Amino acid sequence: MKKLIGLFFVVVGLQTSQVGHLAAQNPSNEQSIYLQLNKSVFELGEDLWFSATVLNSQSLLPSSRDTSLFVELRSKAENEIVFKEIFEISNGFSEGHIFLADTLKQGEYSLFAFTRNSFSDEVKKTKSILLKSRITPSILVDVNFDNALTAELNTLSPKIKVVRKSGELVAKAKINAEIWSENKRLARVKTTTDSLGVAIPSFNKLKTFENLILKIDVDSNLGEEQFELPVALPTNTQRIQFNLMPEGGSLVQGISTQIAFKAVQKNGTPIEIDSAVVIDEKGKVITSFKSRHNGMGSFYVLPLPSKQYSVSIISPKIDSLYSFPKVFDAGFVLNLSKQTEDDLLFAVKKSEGFEGDSLTFAIEQRGILYYESKMIISGEGMPLKVPTASLPRGIIKVSLSNSSGQKLAERLVFVNNQKRLNIVYELNKTNYTTKERIDLKLKVTDGQGDPVQTVIGMSVVDEVFKSVFDEDNIVSHFFLSNEIKGRVHHPKSYFSGESKTDRDNLDLLMLTQGWRSYRWPRILVESLTDSDLKVSVKINPNSVSKKVLKALDQQKIQVVSMFGASVLSTDKNGELLITDNMLYWSRGGKMFFKTDEVEGALLNFHTPFDATVKWSWDKLDQQKRIFASTKNWNILPQVENDVRRLDDFVVESHQDEYGVAHGNARNIIEGRNTDYVCTFDILNCRNHSFGREPRDGERLYINGVLKTYRAPKEANTTTYFNGYYEVPEVYEPDYDKVPEDRVFTDFRNSLIWRPSILTNENGEAEVSFFTSDIRSIFNVHIDAYGDNGQMGALKFDIKVLK
């Protein structure tokens, strides 16, 4: 046995060269995207700012494969797109801005971001935001569901109490209460509060009481407010989901095995198990257990022949028995008996009848095989010690296979959580007053205490805008939520910095939700093709004659941007690819397209946004860079094939003459008419640099001849496409430089949004900004990505008291 273990250490020692060879054989082009927002709860009329970190899914290093980020904002209630634009990605990083107009409806919205290489088998809601008319309502509601369910279990009667913020009761308030499930309204009741501010609407003949949402619209003399909250019924009135998962995958007769469990409500919220027992078919108690974290825990059982086992949950009282998974007569069990920061100690156990069999013990991470060892196990089994220092941080899949390649056991383990960026901060004061300067020092080091050059994204937001969602930070997203299928409850809680606690809780998650749910290898969405994911313009075949339709190949299309005009040729399908270069050179503006030779032909655009309709949205859960080299962009007319220059963009006239807009194509492209008339009725007079705006149809002197003026208009066959969306600068007052601005009221609830703070070679950065007139506690959120691929996150508070 010692000889076998010694051989295993030799294999581990060779892992570096083996990894390089295997990684080169099977590189992944898939990308993973993390979005950091300035906040996730907004008032109507505010700005949403975001930054995107685009990494290769396997290496977790910045990806330069794509330079276009496609961003959509969808309303949850209507499943309607309210914003979609394309943003530039520079060497794996992007920044963006969305104005949340006051014409939008209140409610939950989903922000999606994707590239051409970030489609995978499980499309997740990237970020959720909540949009409200105002954050601090004039009235509040308290809803009690304790006795809401009738004996017949088909009527729900919640007790709704309406009060002022001061605590005074609100009588005679009109209540419009609705029950919703999966974006569908099930029932609605209108009622009025009594003298005690209480209303009890009754929703009859409900077919389900799971995953319900209560929406309340309150109309009183204090104004109208809207509230939305989940229907929270007592635990013993609803079913729970309770799963038992044997470590390694199977229970084997006669082998002591660790069994993990997870208890959640139907909406996925964990339920803590205070007391439960394992019983046999005669009701004899075999062992007892309780949950340790987020409804999860584990216990050991030795399955005996001819025995049947089940679980009875005592507290909270659940009137159900949960049967054990199948117990096999023979097999293998893979048990992680001990884990430290440096090593994993596994025990491979087997039942009788497998003497002399050759087994393969392997370790993979994100689709890359790091090492494997051949072994022959004799007796009842053997221990295996695996050094983890040379493995990357994250989830590894440990497997045991037979000589035919059949998987006998699998186990997920999270390793090297200590390989993180450590971020420390120093404020120049403990507490601050309004409109006061804050000086913040940051220092970033790795696990060994060495400084790291880092890109830091930072937001400082009033705590009343605290997120109502289970949010990720950059660490929990890339190392956990992006790797495990399904919703991870409070993902950031697994990276608290308490090493032993985090390690134990992560292992429970690996044993339960990670059980057979590791996302590698990934399955690309088969319904999406390269054709779905391109940006192009195409001649509409319905707008041309049959004769022309047969000759769409090499049709000429005029393309005009602020930086030039070109004529490009379509392919055999009458389609012209809009490249990322074209989007780059038209950023902040438009590209205009017009058929050059086919009279009256219409153009249609295609983008990856069109491909998103193939996704099942209703089933979803939910700058300057230190890594960047300057892009060597070429101008549009030089990078495309078969290009000829145009002196100007052709704008067709009608009737007499048309305005020339100073003969500047850029003015036409941007939709501006800069024509003017001097005091002598001369259009764009050379002797006068300004004048009044001309009126369409009036008689003016145009090039020395009296003619009827027609304002510039685009031809019917001309259409445009937006280039990369331009990101404006974030406003930050500087009361030291402009002290007179102090007289103006400053209601900023976001004190700062800086997505790309760069630390120096010592891992240090200094940031200064000013408080507003809001007295509150402000939450500071920091995400950090280092030049060594390590990540870190930090949250702390700043107090503005007077």
Side-chain angles (χ1 to χ4, degrees):
M1 184 179 295
K2 290 183 179 179
K3 184 177 180 181
L4 285 171
I5 297 176
L7 174 62
F8 184 72
F9 276 119
V10 172
V11 174
V12 173
L14 295 175
Q15 59 118 351
T16 302
S17 61
Q18 185 179 6
V19 168
H21 175 65
L22 290 168
Q25 282 183 334
N26 299 296
S28 172
N29 293 325
E30 185 188 347
Q31 299 172 345
S32 295
I33 302 170
Y34 169 69
L35 291 181
Q36 181 184 11
L37 310 185
N38 62 320
K39 55 183 180 178
S40 56
V41 179
F42 297 85
E43 291 181 309
L44 293 169
E46 287 195 307
D47 293 303
L48 182 157
W49 302 87
F50 70 85
S51 65
T53 304
V54 185
L55 305 182
N56 179 277
S57 294
Q58 280 187 324
S59 67
L60 295 186
L61 294 176
S63 174
S64 58
R65 186 172 178 82
D66 280 335
T67 56
S68 292
L69 182 73
F70 301 89
V71 177
E72 284 186 350
L73 183 66
R74 287 178 177 248
S75 65
K76 180 180 178 180
E78 291 84 13
N79 193 26
E80 177 180 76
I81 298 174
V82 299
F83 175 92
K84 62 177 181 180
E85 291 289 349
I86 308 175
F87 294 80
E88 180 193 4
I89 303 172
S90 178
N91 293 278
F93 297 90
S94 182
E95 298 175 13
H97 162 266
I98 301 173
F99 175 64
L100 302 171
D102 55 13
T103 54
L104 295 175
K105 296 180 181 179
Q106 293 189 92
E108 185 178 339
Y109 288 75
S110 299
L111 185 66
F112 298 90
F114 56 94
T115 69
R116 297 181 182 91
N117 289 285
S118 66
F119 291 87
S120 62
D121 60 325
E122 184 179 343
V123 180
K124 286 188 176 181
K125 181 168 58 181
T126 307
K127 282 288 184 180
S128 294
I129 70 167
L130 185 63
L131 191 54
K132 304 186 72 173
S133 59
R134 59 179 178 269
I135 299 300
T136 54
S138 57
I139 54 178
L140 303 172
V141 298
D142 176 58
V143 183
N144 190 310
F145 293 102
D146 288 348
N147 300 304
L149 218 55
T150 63
E152 294 81 12
L153 296 181
N154 65 350
T155 300
L156 185 66
S157 303
K159 182 180 180 181
I160 302 174
K161 189 174 184 178
V162 182
V163 297
R164 297 173 183 259
K165 290 181 66 177
S166 60
E168 299 176 26
L169 304 175
V170 180
K172 297 183 179 180
K174 297 179 181 179
I175 303 287
N176 180 37
E178 299 176 348
I179 293 291
W180 287 70
S181 176
E182 297 181 352
N183 296 329
K184 181 180 180 182
R185 189 177 69 189
L186 304 182
R188 179 174 65 177
V189 174
K190 293 184 178 182
T191 184
T192 305
T193 59
D194 59 20
S195 59
L196 299 178
V198 174
I200 305 179
S202 290
F203 303 97
N204 302 315
K205 299 180 180 179
L206 295 177
K207 296 181 180 180
T208 180
F209 293 90
E210 298 173 356
N211 302 327
L212 298 182
I213 298 295
L214 174 63
K215 295 185 180 182
I216 305 170
D217 189 309
V218 182
D219 189 1
S220 70
N221 55 6
L222 298 175
E224 185 176 359
E225 297 288 350
Q226 295 177 335
F227 304 89
E228 181 176 320
L229 62 160
V231 174
L233 299 174
T235 303
N236 59 5
T237 66
Q238 57 183 322
R239 294 176 297 167
I240 71 169
Q241 183 175 317
F242 183 82
N243 294 108
L244 294 166
M245 289 146 283
E247 183 180 18
S250 303
L251 283 174
V252 180
Q253 181 178 290
I255 300 180
S256 178
T257 304
Q258 180 179 205
I259 301 180
F261 65 87
K262 184 171 185 177
V264 296
Q265 301 179 55
K266 287 296 182 180
N267 62 3
T269 304
I271 296 177
E272 297 300 334
I273 304 299
D274 298 320
S275 177
V277 293
V278 177
I279 58 176
D280 63 15
E281 74 281 1
K282 295 181 179 179
K284 179 182 176 181
V285 175
I286 306 302
T287 188
S288 61
F289 61 88
K290 62 180 181 180
S291 59
R292 303 200 303 267
H293 179 71
N294 282 348
M296 299 179 293
S298 66
F299 55 89
Y300 279 86
V301 163
L302 176 63
L304 298 176
S306 304
K307 287 287 185 179
Q308 297 178 356
Y309 303 95
S310 58
V311 168
S312 174
I313 299 176
I314 299 172
S315 177
K317 182 174 176 54
I318 304 294
D319 297 327
S320 298
L321 287 179
Y322 298 90
S323 300
F324 260 43
K326 179 181 179 181
V327 178
F328 292 88
D329 296 335
F332 291 84
V333 171
L334 182 62
N335 170 239
L336 177 63
S337 55
K338 186 178 181 180
Q339 179 182 7
T340 67
E341 287 189 354
D342 302 316
D343 301 294
L344 300 174
L345 185 60
F346 288 95
V348 180
K349 307 174 186 178
K350 72 175 187 65
S351 56
E352 295 181 0
F354 293 98
E355 298 297 331
D357 279 14
S358 175
L359 302 178
T360 299
F361 181 85
I363 293 182
E364 303 173 55
Q365 186 184 63
R366 292 191 288 272
I368 299 175
L369 178 64
Y370 275 83
Y371 46 78
E372 61 182 15
S373 174
K374 302 289 185 181
M375 63 187 69
I376 297 176
I377 301 179
S378 59
E380 295 181 354
M382 64 179 292
L384 293 172
K385 187 177 182 180
V386 181
T388 57
S390 56
L391 287 171
R393 181 189 191 186
I395 299 171
I396 63 171
K397 180 169 69 173
V398 182
S399 63
L400 195 65
S401 306
N402 61 20
S403 56
S404 302
Q406 179 186 5
K407 286 286 192 301
L408 304 176
E410 288 184 357
R411 174 69 151 90
L412 296 187
V413 186
F414 198 102
V415 298
N416 291 326
N417 197 25
Q418 74 278 7
K419 289 185 178 180
R420 60 179 178 269
L421 293 179
N422 299 306
I423 310 167
V424 295
Y425 71 95
E426 179 185 341
L427 292 166
N428 60 325
K429 292 183 65 177
T430 303
N431 300 323
Y432 295 88
T433 60
T434 57
K435 288 193 174 81
E436 184 175 7
R437 179 188 175 103
I438 296 176
D439 293 320
L440 171 65
K441 294 181 179 180
L442 297 169
K443 185 174 178 63
V444 184
T445 57
D446 60 18
Q448 287 72 47
D450 297 325
V452 180
Q453 286 191 295
T454 309
V455 175
I456 291 175
M458 185 174 79
S459 67
V460 182
V461 182
D462 186 346
E463 70 170 359
V464 301
F465 289 82
K466 183 177 180 181
S467 177
V468 296
F469 307 105
D470 262 2
E471 285 197 334
D472 275 303
N473 56 32
I474 192 171
V475 176
S476 61
H477 172 79
F478 281 114
F479 289 109
L480 194 60
S481 301
N482 197 46
E483 301 294 292
I484 298 293
K485 292 182 180 179
R487 172 193 172 195
V488 178
H489 185 68
H490 290 327
K492 291 187 291 189
S493 67
Y494 293 92
F495 304 92
S496 67
E498 298 291 334
S499 298
K500 179 65 166 59
T501 300
D502 288 347
R503 185 164 61 242
D504 292 344
N505 292 342
L506 278 167
D507 200 54
L508 281 176
L509 190 69
M510 298 300 101
L511 283 166
T512 54
Q513 192 163 339
W515 194 77
R516 302 270 175 96
S517 293
Y518 192 42
R519 296 189 68 215
W520 289 94
R522 304 197 188 197
I523 303 171
L524 295 179
V525 178
E526 296 180 358
S527 58
L528 295 177
T529 65
D530 290 340
S531 178
D532 290 320
L533 302 177
K534 64 186 176 182
V535 180
S536 63
V537 60
K538 186 175 183 178
I539 296 177
N540 186 334
N542 296 323
S543 66
V544 297
S545 65
K546 293 182 179 180
K547 181 180 179 180
V548 173
L549 187 61
K550 295 179 180 179
L552 287 179
D553 186 15
Q554 298 298 305
Q555 290 292 335
K556 307 300 181 184
I557 294 182
Q558 296 179 22
V559 185
V560 179
S561 74
M562 300 176 188
F563 296 91
S566 308
V567 172
L568 307 177
S569 297
T570 63
D571 61 17
K572 62 181 180 180
N573 298 315
E575 191 170 27
L576 173 67
L577 185 68
I578 301 175
T579 66
D580 290 349
N581 278 7
M582 296 165 72
L583 294 170
Y584 174 82
W585 280 108
S586 300
R587 65 191 185 280
K590 304 178 186 300
M591 283 177 283
F592 281 76
F593 295 81
K594 180 180 180 296
T595 53
D596 193 33
E597 298 172 348
V598 184
E599 186 69 27
L602 300 178
L603 299 174
N604 295 334
F605 291 103
H606 173 85
T607 72
F609 292 119
D610 302 319
T612 62
V613 299
K614 296 185 178 182
W615 295 350
S616 182
W617 297 106
D618 57 334
K619 296 181 180 179
L620 292 175
D621 300 327
Q622 34 183 333
Q623 81 255 22
K624 185 178 179 181
R625 304 288 184 177
I626 57 178
F627 319 106
S629 58
T630 304
K631 289 190 176 182
N632 183 23
W633 295 102
N634 295 309
I635 63 172
L636 169 64
Q638 294 179 337
V639 297
E640 303 296 333
N641 296 326
D642 190 21
V643 170
R644 60 182 173 87
R645 296 287 303 186
L646 294 178
D647 293 331
D648 205 339
F649 189 50
V650 178
V651 182
E652 295 183 355
S653 64
H654 59 91
Q655 295 187 13
D656 296 303
E657 293 292 329
Y658 58 89
V660 295
H662 289 191
N664 190 336
R666 178 167 182 160
N667 293 324
I668 301 174
I669 293 167
E670 294 181 342
R672 298 200 307 258
N673 179 12
T674 54
D675 289 339
Y676 64 91
V677 180
C678 75
T679 56
F680 299 103
D681 290 336
I682 299 174
L683 183 68
N684 302 327
C685 179
R686 295 181 179 180
N687 298 320
H688 301 89
S689 58
F690 60 90
R692 65 174 176 83
E693 183 178 343
R695 298 183 297 274
D696 191 61
E698 71 173 314
R699 302 283 287 180
L700 298 173
Y701 288 97
I702 303 176
N703 296 326
V705 180
L706 188 64
K707 296 183 179 181
T708 300
Y709 172 81
R710 296 296 182 187
K713 294 182 180 180
E714 301 166 15
N716 292 334
T717 55
T718 303
T719 188
Y720 67 87
F721 189 85
N722 290 335
Y724 284 139
Y725 197 73
E726 192 167 34
V727 182
E729 292 185 5
V730 183
Y731 168 72
E732 289 183 20
D734 190 331
Y735 295 124
D736 288 345
K737 290 184 177 179
V738 192
E740 56 268 26
D741 282 353
R742 290 181 179 274
V743 300
F744 300 104
T745 303
D746 183 354
F747 284 135
R748 285 175 301 126
N749 53 62
S750 291
L751 299 184
I752 185 176
W753 163 250
R754 295 196 189 169
S756 53
I757 301 168
L758 303 180
T759 64
N760 58 24
E761 64 275 8
N762 297 317
E764 298 172 340
E766 296 185 4
V767 184
S768 297
F769 54 97
F770 285 83
T771 63
S772 65
D773 282 316
I774 298 176
R775 296 173 176 84
S776 183
I777 295 176
F778 287 80
N779 301 142
V780 182
H781 299 271
I782 290 177
D783 285 320
Y785 184 89
D787 59 1
N788 55 8
Q790 293 183 4
M791 304 176 206
L794 178 67
K795 179 182 179 298
F796 61 93
D797 295 332
I798 291 177
K799 297 179 181 178
V800 182
L801 301 181
K802 60 180 181 178

